[in-house]
Amino acid sequence: MTTDRKLKDEFEQYGRVWLRDAVSDADLKLLDQATADNTKAGQRLGSSSALDTVLSKNSSLLTSIQRLDPMAVPVRTVAFNKSEGANWGVPWHQDRVIAVNDKVEIEGYHNWTKKSGTWHCEPPEAILDSMLFVRVHLDESSESNGAMEISVGSHIGGIVPSAKAEETANAYPIEVCNAKRGDVLILKMLTLHRSKPATVQSGRRVLRIDLSSLALPPPMFWHAEKTETRL
Protein backbone atom coordinates (compact mmCIF):
# COMPACT_ATOMS: atom_id res chain seq x y z
CA MET A 1 0.00 0.00 0.00
CA THR A 2 1.22 3.51 -0.79
CA THR A 3 0.51 6.77 1.02
CA ASP A 4 -2.38 8.86 -0.26
CA ARG A 5 -0.46 12.10 -0.86
CA LYS A 6 -3.51 14.40 -1.01
CA LEU A 7 -4.86 12.95 2.21
CA LYS A 8 -1.44 13.18 3.84
CA ASP A 9 -1.07 16.86 2.90
CA GLU A 10 -4.48 17.66 4.40
CA PHE A 11 -3.54 15.74 7.54
CA GLU A 12 -0.26 17.61 8.00
CA GLN A 13 -1.94 20.99 7.51
CA TYR A 14 -5.05 20.58 9.63
CA GLY A 15 -4.03 17.78 11.98
CA ARG A 16 -7.14 15.81 11.11
CA VAL A 17 -8.87 14.05 8.24
CA TRP A 18 -12.32 12.49 7.98
CA LEU A 19 -12.93 9.16 6.27
CA ARG A 20 -16.68 9.07 5.88
CA ASP A 21 -18.48 5.71 5.73
CA ALA A 22 -15.08 4.01 5.90
CA VAL A 23 -15.98 0.86 7.84
CA SER A 24 -17.89 -2.00 6.28
CA ASP A 25 -21.16 -3.23 7.81
CA ALA A 26 -19.51 -6.55 8.61
CA ASP A 27 -16.67 -4.85 10.49
CA LEU A 28 -19.10 -2.58 12.34
CA LYS A 29 -21.02 -5.62 13.57
CA LEU A 30 -17.76 -7.13 14.80
CA LEU A 31 -16.97 -3.90 16.66
CA ASP A 32 -20.42 -4.00 18.24
CA GLN A 33 -19.51 -7.47 19.45
CA ALA A 34 -16.04 -6.44 20.66
CA THR A 35 -17.44 -3.54 22.70
CA ALA A 36 -20.67 -5.19 23.89
CA ASP A 37 -19.63 -5.32 27.54
CA ASN A 38 -18.40 -1.73 27.71
CA THR A 39 -20.54 0.58 29.83
CA LYS A 40 -17.74 2.83 31.08
CA ALA A 41 -16.39 6.25 30.18
CA GLY A 42 -13.31 4.53 28.82
CA GLN A 43 -12.26 0.88 28.82
CA ARG A 44 -9.05 -0.47 27.37
CA LEU A 45 -9.70 -3.45 25.09
CA GLY A 46 -7.43 -6.44 24.90
CA SER A 47 -7.32 -9.00 22.14
CA SER A 48 -10.54 -10.71 21.03
CA SER A 49 -11.42 -12.60 17.87
CA ALA A 50 -13.83 -9.85 16.78
CA LEU A 51 -11.40 -6.99 17.41
CA ASP A 52 -8.47 -8.88 15.90
CA THR A 53 -10.46 -9.42 12.71
CA VAL A 54 -11.40 -5.74 12.38
CA LEU A 55 -7.79 -4.68 12.96
CA SER A 56 -6.27 -7.30 10.68
CA LYS A 57 -4.04 -6.23 7.80
CA ASN A 58 -6.67 -6.35 5.04
CA SER A 59 -9.69 -5.15 7.01
CA SER A 60 -11.72 -2.20 5.72
CA LEU A 61 -10.75 -0.14 8.76
CA LEU A 62 -6.99 -0.70 8.77
CA THR A 63 -6.78 -0.36 4.99
CA SER A 64 -8.45 3.06 5.23
CA ILE A 65 -6.20 4.26 8.06
CA GLN A 66 -3.00 3.09 6.39
CA ARG A 67 -3.61 5.46 3.49
CA LEU A 68 -1.90 7.98 5.80
CA ASP A 69 0.86 5.70 7.07
CA PRO A 70 1.16 2.25 5.46
CA MET A 71 3.39 1.02 8.30
CA ALA A 72 1.14 2.14 11.18
CA VAL A 73 -0.14 -0.63 13.46
CA PRO A 74 -2.52 -0.46 16.45
CA VAL A 75 -0.76 0.00 19.80
CA ARG A 76 -3.73 0.80 22.06
CA THR A 77 -7.52 0.40 21.78
CA VAL A 78 -10.04 2.03 24.11
CA ALA A 79 -13.84 1.90 23.95
CA PHE A 80 -15.95 4.85 25.08
CA ASN A 81 -19.67 4.69 25.79
CA LYS A 82 -21.20 8.05 26.71
CA SER A 83 -24.65 7.33 28.12
CA GLU A 84 -27.05 8.48 30.81
CA GLY A 85 -25.05 6.49 33.36
CA ALA A 86 -21.65 7.73 32.12
CA ASN A 87 -22.16 11.26 30.87
CA TRP A 88 -18.76 12.84 31.31
CA GLY A 89 -17.13 16.04 30.13
CA VAL A 90 -13.44 16.88 29.87
CA PRO A 91 -11.79 20.28 29.31
CA TRP A 92 -9.34 21.16 26.54
CA HIS A 93 -6.34 18.85 26.69
CA GLN A 94 -3.85 16.74 24.75
CA ASP A 95 -3.48 12.96 25.13
CA ARG A 96 0.22 12.42 25.73
CA VAL A 97 0.51 8.95 27.27
CA ILE A 98 1.27 5.58 25.72
CA ALA A 99 0.80 2.02 27.03
CA VAL A 100 3.98 -0.02 27.35
CA ASN A 101 5.12 -3.44 28.57
CA ASP A 102 6.88 -2.32 31.75
CA LYS A 103 8.35 0.65 33.54
CA VAL A 104 11.80 1.23 32.09
CA GLU A 105 14.13 4.10 32.99
CA ILE A 106 14.91 5.59 29.58
CA GLU A 107 15.72 9.25 29.01
CA GLY A 108 12.76 11.19 27.66
CA TYR A 109 10.10 8.82 29.02
CA HIS A 110 8.44 10.19 32.17
CA ASN A 111 5.21 10.76 34.13
CA TRP A 112 4.79 7.04 34.79
CA THR A 113 1.40 5.71 35.94
CA LYS A 114 -0.09 2.25 36.22
CA LYS A 115 -3.70 1.88 35.05
CA SER A 116 -5.57 -1.43 35.25
CA GLY A 117 -2.27 -3.26 35.57
CA THR A 118 -0.65 -1.61 32.52
CA TRP A 119 2.20 0.88 32.66
CA HIS A 120 1.69 4.20 30.89
CA CYS A 121 4.12 7.04 30.36
CA GLU A 122 4.63 10.23 28.42
CA PRO A 123 7.17 9.62 25.63
CA PRO A 124 9.32 12.18 23.77
CA GLU A 125 7.38 14.59 21.57
CA ALA A 126 8.77 12.96 18.42
CA ILE A 127 6.98 9.70 19.28
CA LEU A 128 3.68 11.48 19.87
CA ASP A 129 4.01 13.55 16.72
CA SER A 130 4.38 10.41 14.61
CA MET A 131 1.30 8.65 15.99
CA LEU A 132 -2.25 8.45 14.64
CA PHE A 133 -5.15 9.10 17.02
CA VAL A 134 -8.16 7.39 15.42
CA ARG A 135 -11.84 7.53 16.42
CA VAL A 136 -14.26 5.01 14.91
CA HIS A 137 -17.87 6.07 15.41
CA LEU A 138 -20.23 3.23 16.26
CA ASP A 139 -23.19 5.57 16.79
CA GLU A 140 -24.21 8.91 15.38
CA SER A 141 -22.33 11.70 17.13
CA SER A 142 -23.48 15.32 17.47
CA GLU A 143 -23.23 18.27 19.80
CA SER A 144 -26.41 17.19 21.60
CA ASN A 145 -25.02 13.78 22.60
CA GLY A 146 -21.59 15.04 23.61
CA ALA A 147 -19.54 14.87 20.42
CA MET A 148 -15.85 15.63 20.80
CA GLU A 149 -14.65 19.10 19.78
CA ILE A 150 -11.23 19.69 18.28
CA SER A 151 -9.01 22.72 17.84
CA VAL A 152 -8.13 22.35 14.16
CA GLY A 153 -4.43 22.92 13.51
CA SER A 154 -3.43 23.09 17.18
CA HIS A 155 -1.04 20.17 16.70
CA ILE A 156 1.54 22.54 15.24
CA GLY A 157 2.07 24.10 18.67
CA GLY A 158 3.68 20.95 20.08
CA ILE A 159 3.22 20.11 23.74
CA VAL A 160 0.93 22.64 25.46
CA PRO A 161 0.90 23.03 29.28
CA SER A 162 -2.48 22.21 30.78
CA ALA A 163 -2.84 25.73 32.15
CA LYS A 164 -2.66 27.14 28.62
CA ALA A 165 -4.74 24.48 26.85
CA GLU A 166 -7.98 26.48 26.63
CA GLU A 167 -6.26 29.69 25.55
CA THR A 168 -4.28 27.84 22.89
CA ALA A 169 -7.29 25.88 21.64
CA ASN A 170 -9.31 29.04 21.14
CA ALA A 171 -6.60 30.49 18.92
CA TYR A 172 -7.58 27.97 16.22
CA PRO A 173 -10.89 27.08 14.51
CA ILE A 174 -13.09 24.86 16.71
CA GLU A 175 -14.82 21.92 15.04
CA VAL A 176 -17.61 19.82 16.52
CA CYS A 177 -16.99 16.24 15.39
CA ASN A 178 -20.39 15.40 13.96
CA ALA A 179 -20.34 11.88 12.60
CA LYS A 180 -22.47 8.97 11.48
CA ARG A 181 -22.00 5.29 12.26
CA GLY A 182 -19.00 4.05 10.29
CA ASP A 183 -17.27 7.43 10.00
CA VAL A 184 -13.60 7.54 11.00
CA LEU A 185 -11.73 10.58 12.29
CA ILE A 186 -7.93 10.51 12.25
CA LEU A 187 -6.09 13.08 14.34
CA LYS A 188 -2.56 14.12 15.10
CA MET A 189 -1.91 12.97 18.66
CA LEU A 190 -1.12 16.50 19.90
CA THR A 191 -4.38 18.02 18.65
CA LEU A 192 -6.17 19.81 21.49
CA HIS A 193 -9.66 18.44 22.09
CA ARG A 194 -12.48 18.45 24.63
CA SER A 195 -15.84 16.81 25.26
CA LYS A 196 -18.98 18.25 26.85
CA PRO A 197 -21.65 16.18 28.61
CA ALA A 198 -24.57 15.07 26.44
CA THR A 199 -27.82 17.04 26.72
CA VAL A 200 -30.00 14.20 25.40
CA GLN A 201 -30.37 10.61 26.56
CA SER A 202 -28.83 8.71 23.68
CA GLY A 203 -25.81 6.43 23.57
CA ARG A 204 -22.64 7.59 21.89
CA ARG A 205 -20.17 4.77 21.38
CA VAL A 206 -16.72 5.46 19.97
CA LEU A 207 -13.73 3.18 19.55
CA ARG A 208 -10.39 4.92 19.92
CA ILE A 209 -7.34 3.35 18.31
CA ASP A 210 -3.79 4.69 18.68
CA LEU A 211 -1.42 3.61 15.92
CA SER A 212 2.32 3.96 15.39
CA SER A 213 4.88 2.91 12.81
CA LEU A 214 7.78 3.39 15.24
CA ALA A 215 9.37 0.88 17.58
CA LEU A 216 10.13 1.92 21.15
CA PRO A 217 13.70 1.75 22.46
CA PRO A 218 14.45 -1.73 23.90
CA PRO A 219 13.79 -3.22 26.36
CA MET A 220 10.59 -1.15 26.15
CA PHE A 221 7.86 -2.10 23.68
CA TRP A 222 4.24 -1.24 23.03
CA HIS A 223 1.91 -3.06 25.41
CA ALA A 224 -0.26 -4.26 22.52
CA GLU A 225 2.66 -6.24 21.09
CA LYS A 226 2.44 -8.78 23.91
CA THR A 227 -1.14 -8.57 25.10
CA GLU A 228 -2.88 -11.85 25.79
CA THR A 229 -6.00 -10.44 27.44
CA ARG A 230 -9.31 -11.66 26.05
CA LEU A 231 -12.32 -9.37 26.04
Side-chain angles (χ1 to χ4, degrees):
M1 182 185 298
T2 58
T3 302
D4 185 324
R5 178 48 55 190
K6 182 178 180 181
L7 200 68
K8 182 72 171 178
D9 289 344
E10 178 184 347
F11 186 58
E12 293 299 327
Q13 179 178 356
Y14 298 110
R16 66 95 176 89
V17 292
W18 281 98
L19 304 178
R20 301 292 186 180
D21 196 25
V23 187
S24 69
D25 288 341
D27 282 352
L28 285 171
K29 290 177 181 178
L30 286 171
L31 289 177
D32 289 338
Q33 179 182 334
T35 60
D37 295 332
N38 178 44
T39 58
K40 301 179 181 179
Q43 177 179 325
R44 178 184 170 87
L45 300 184
S47 176
S48 69
S49 58
L51 188 62
D52 292 348
T53 298
V54 176
L55 297 181
S56 63
K57 183 177 180 180
N58 296 317
S59 69
S60 64
L61 177 56
L62 205 60
T63 298
S64 296
I65 296 170
Q66 289 180 333
R67 291 165 60 193
L68 281 176
D69 184 351
M71 301 302 293
V73 296
V75 294
R76 183 174 65 161
T77 307
V78 182
F80 293 94
N81 186 4
K82 182 173 286 190
S83 63
E84 185 178 1
N87 188 17
W88 70 91
V90 290
W92 288 109
H93 68 286
Q94 295 171 313
D95 291 335
R96 301 200 298 260
V97 298
I98 60 173
V100 299
N101 62 308
D102 202 357
K103 185 177 181 180
V104 182
E105 296 300 330
I106 297 178
E107 184 177 359
Y109 292 78
H110 60 284
N111 291 340
W112 288 91
T113 58
K114 199 169 191 180
K115 303 175 184 178
S116 301
T118 299
W119 280 106
H120 293 72
C121 66
E122 184 174 329
E125 184 174 340
I127 295 289
L128 294 170
D129 192 51
S130 69
M131 295 177 67
L132 302 180
F133 166 7
V134 177
R135 287 172 65 86
V136 182
H137 297 83
L138 302 182
D139 294 310
E140 186 169 323
S141 186
S142 65
E143 186 172 9
S144 63
N145 69 357
M148 189 175 74
E149 298 179 27
I150 59 175
S151 174
V152 180
S154 59
H155 66 289
I156 64 173
I159 292 177
V160 177
S162 297
K164 293 186 176 182
E166 183 174 2
E167 176 187 352
T168 303
N170 288 325
Y172 297 88
I174 306 302
E175 178 179 308
V176 178
C177 297
N178 296 310
K180 293 183 178 180
R181 177 174 166 85
D183 287 349
V184 175
L185 173 63
I186 307 178
L187 295 163
K188 284 277 191 178
M189 187 65 75
L190 291 176
T191 297
L192 286 159
H193 56 286
R194 71 175 176 182
S195 178
K196 297 178 181 178
T199 58
V200 297
Q201 295 181 10
S202 65
R204 193 219 67 180
R205 296 172 302 148
V206 175
L207 185 70
R208 172 182 174 152
I209 309 166
D210 293 346
L211 297 97
S212 178
S213 57
L214 300 180
L216 298 176
M220 185 185 297
F221 53 82
W222 300 101
H223 181 266
E225 293 181 51
K226 296 289 185 174
T227 184
E228 294 180 354
T229 302
R230 307 302 293 184
L231 182 64

